[in-house]
Amino acid sequence: GVEGVTARWGTKKLPRKTHRGLRKVACIGAWHPSRVMYSVARSGQDGYHHRTEANKKIYRIANGSDDTSAKTEFDITRKAITPLGGFPHYGEVKEDFVIIKGSCVGVKKRVLTLRKSLRTHTKRSALEKVDLKFIDTSSKFGHGRFQTKDEKKAFMGTLKKDLAANN
């Protein structure tokens, strides 16, 4: 939302006894040039900025509720894309999802707009077909040893919480 200069740009607060507030910029410029320079810190919109990135390679588009969405040609284990315990600060993937190469801008759950590139790609890395060999679905909270709940249960055996759930 809208923030003042101290929160938005991290400017120094004015002394305690300042008239009409202290979370301001004391001087926004000289008499001449008789305009405020672009480089002077001003209050306004902080966050939710429009960002554009190019050359994002799409690896997979699938449905999150499908229990074989993380299955590949080389790894035939039946597993959904959601890791054990869910994604941190997101939860479970229930809708359609896209796996892209690299990072994407914004916080989790931020709406992201993808479109076709306007340039024609000629590089070999852009034109080659990608075959995913393995998609990691281990827990993203701890050390993440297991890919599926069944694999974890086979290793751990019967737990006290399983016995309590049955009774």
Side-chain angles (χ1 to χ4, degrees):
V2 178
E3 293 286 352
V5 284
T6 306
R8 191 178 185 211
W9 299 107
T11 58
K12 200 87 159 156
K13 282 169 61 176
L14 298 175
R16 179 182 62 82
K17 296 175 80 170
T18 308
H19 186 50
R20 293 199 183 113
L22 46 87
R23 296 174 64 90
K24 298 172 176 293
V25 174
C27 178
I28 61 169
W31 192 299
H32 288 290
S34 56
R35 65 192 69 83
V36 179
M37 299 289 283
Y38 76 93
S39 57
V40 176
R42 306 290 274 160
S43 62
Q45 175 71 29
D46 194 18
Y48 201 66
H49 301 300
H50 187 271
R51 296 282 182 262
T52 303
E53 285 188 351
N55 304 330
K56 290 296 178 195
K57 191 160 195 159
I58 294 177
Y59 284 161
R60 176 173 286 187
I61 300 173
N63 191 318
S65 60
D66 183 18
D67 64 336
T68 59
S69 57
K71 191 165 113 172
T72 63
E73 190 178 325
F74 299 93
D75 179 28
I76 56 171
T77 311
R78 289 180 63 88
K79 54 185 181 177
I81 196 69
T82 304
L84 290 176
F87 283 101
H89 307 289
Y90 183 83
E92 289 189 20
V93 178
K94 297 174 185 151
E95 300 297 324
D96 297 345
F97 66 90
V98 178
I99 298 178
I100 60 172
K101 180 179 181 179
S103 60
C104 62
V105 294
V107 296
K108 277 120 179 126
K109 300 192 179 188
R110 174 65 42 90
V111 175
L112 197 64
T113 305
L114 300 174
R115 67 168 169 78
K116 282 275 205 187
S117 178
L118 298 175
R119 298 188 186 113
T120 53
H121 294 286
T122 55
K123 285 188 176 178
R124 179 174 283 166
S125 62
L127 298 174
E128 69 186 2
K129 188 180 181 307
V130 176
D131 287 324
L132 292 177
K133 295 193 173 169
F134 179 74
I135 297 173
D136 184 26
T137 57
S138 62
S139 176
K140 304 300 172 216
F141 283 99
H143 294 290
R145 288 171 65 180
F146 309 107
Q147 293 294 318
T148 61
K149 289 179 182 173
D150 299 331
E151 186 182 330
K152 183 176 180 181
K153 191 169 187 167
F155 181 84
M156 302 290 265
T158 307
L159 300 173
K160 192 185 281 186
K161 66 179 181 181
D162 297 334
L163 294 173
N166 292 341
N167 293 335

